[in-house]
Amino acid sequence: MPELPENEAQRLTLERTCLNRTVEAAELGDNITHIDLPGDNELGRLKGRQFTETRRHGKNIFLGSKTGPWITVHLGMSGWLIPYDLPESEPDHTKFRIVFEGDRRLAFRCPRKLGHVKVIEDPDAYIAAKKLGPDALSIERNTFVDFLGGSKAAIKSALMDQNRIAGIGNLWSDEILFQTGLDPARKGSDLKADRLDTVFDAMLTTLSKGVVVEADYSRLPDDWLIPNRKSKSDCPRAGCEGKLTHRKVGGRTAYYCPAHQS
Ligand SMILES: [Zn+2]
């Protein structure tokens, strides 16, 4: 599932390709039952508008303007926003498209239908209504440490709690714990303050690097988990002789190295 770095890369794509162009039409694709998409009135409201700004909060992307309306996109498990220019053909599984004046198009490809597109008035009101926590790249250290230090859930689950810290999912929580040497099932409430600080630092380092490389995993350091995230492969951490493995933690598949994570 796309997480903070992947969503930030998508936001950048929109910033680079979709601003200051007049919307001629917003349309739905084929086979759109069971996916949350705008209705006819909302689609009509986008016509004639220009998007002038983008935002992202956690795993939510926003495209709009000071006077609104905005569209907000959640990529779900495998959704992706794909800008293209005619005569290039539309990606398969397009569920929503914006037709800009001229040849530019923006397609929302969502084969598994778990994402959504909504037309909203204001991103801040939407974030508040969804009760999303602060974005993982802007959360205050104290807020983070207080929450995690008081959590009796598996630390992996706590990091993925969107109502407390928005943006971390299965993949990046594994990376953060790999780098801090913590077993994914440890409880935050069992950790000392300095350990909680190292989790916060690792969260900032890993997510920032993910943003810098625009979620291109081949550009992540070789000794990180994500580029090597396969069971039975050698632990990539320098000096560690362990083998990577996986197990279910809080209902999600956690990859980790039992030799240096405890
Ligand atoms: Zn290891």
Side-chain angles (χ1 to χ4, degrees):
M1 179 192 270
E3 303 174 31
L4 190 153
E6 295 78 11
N7 276 280
E8 181 62 16
Q10 285 264 271
R11 186 198 66 76
L12 260 178
T13 298
L14 298 185
E15 183 93 26
R16 289 168 182 156
T17 59
C18 295
L19 297 189
N20 307 310
R21 295 166 180 272
T22 303
V23 175
E24 274 191 350
E27 302 167 343
L28 303 184
D30 297 328
N31 186 16
I32 51 165
T33 47
H34 310 298
I35 175 165
D36 191 359
L37 295 169
D40 288 343
N41 285 345
E42 294 168 310
L43 293 172
R45 289 184 64 202
L46 298 173
K47 193 175 155 119
R49 299 273 175 173
Q50 289 198 352
F51 301 120
T52 55
E53 48 191 299
T54 60
R55 279 185 60 182
R56 182 197 53 75
H57 186 98
K59 304 177 190 174
N60 299 270
I61 300 167
F62 302 92
L63 178 63
S65 63
K66 291 215 167 26
T67 52
W70 290 71
I71 63 171
T72 181
V73 178
H74 195 289
L75 300 169
M77 289 300 284
S78 54
W80 208 245
L81 291 159
I82 304 170
Y84 66 100
D85 289 313
L86 298 180
E88 276 176 79
S89 51
E90 180 166 274
D92 59 353
H93 303 288
T94 292
K95 305 302 180 192
F96 172 81
R97 88 178 63 81
I98 294 178
V99 176
F100 291 104
E101 208 170 31
D103 295 335
R104 181 64 46 86
R105 302 288 182 269
L106 177 67
F108 177 51
R109 181 179 190 276
C110 195
R112 291 178 64 189
K113 297 187 178 182
L114 294 165
H116 68 227
V117 179
K118 295 174 194 285
V119 175
I120 60 164
E121 296 309 314
D122 174 44
D124 288 317
Y126 181 81
I127 291 161
K130 289 275 167 194
K131 297 188 166 58
L132 294 172
D135 186 75
L137 279 180
S138 21
I139 191 170
E140 303 269 349
R141 180 183 293 268
N142 287 347
T143 309
F144 178 90
V145 165
D146 286 351
F147 159 59
L148 205 62
S151 169
K152 296 195 186 326
I155 189 166
K156 178 177 174 65
S157 308
L159 289 171
M160 292 169 59
D161 182 347
Q162 301 303 300
N163 299 125
R164 305 308 295 265
I165 310 162
I168 302 170
N170 201 35
L171 191 69
W172 289 90
S173 59
D174 280 354
E175 185 68 57
I176 293 163
L177 296 171
F178 178 84
Q179 295 199 15
T180 41
L182 286 167
D183 183 278
R186 283 288 290 276
K187 294 178 176 59
S189 58
D190 292 342
L191 301 179
K192 294 206 167 65
D194 59 339
R195 208 71 197 280
L196 294 166
D197 268 332
T198 63
V199 181
F200 180 79
D201 293 337
M203 174 183 74
L204 289 189
T205 311
T206 52
L207 295 178
S208 302
K209 181 70 180 175
V211 166
V212 166
V213 302
E214 295 183 27
D216 176 353
Y217 307 145
S218 70
R219 292 166 63 201
L220 291 175
D222 293 339
D223 60 353
W224 282 24
L225 176 68
I226 290 175
N228 299 285
R229 200 168 173 273
K230 268 203 314 262
S231 242
K232 298 186 182 139
S233 58
D234 292 334
C235 175
R237 188 182 179 100
C240 182
E241 306 272 291
K243 296 258 187 216
L244 300 181
T245 184
H246 63 89
R247 75 177 199 271
K248 289 272 183 195
V249 175
R252 303 299 300 273
T253 303
Y255 282 78
Y256 65 105
C257 168
H260 84 263
Q261 290 179 250
S262 60

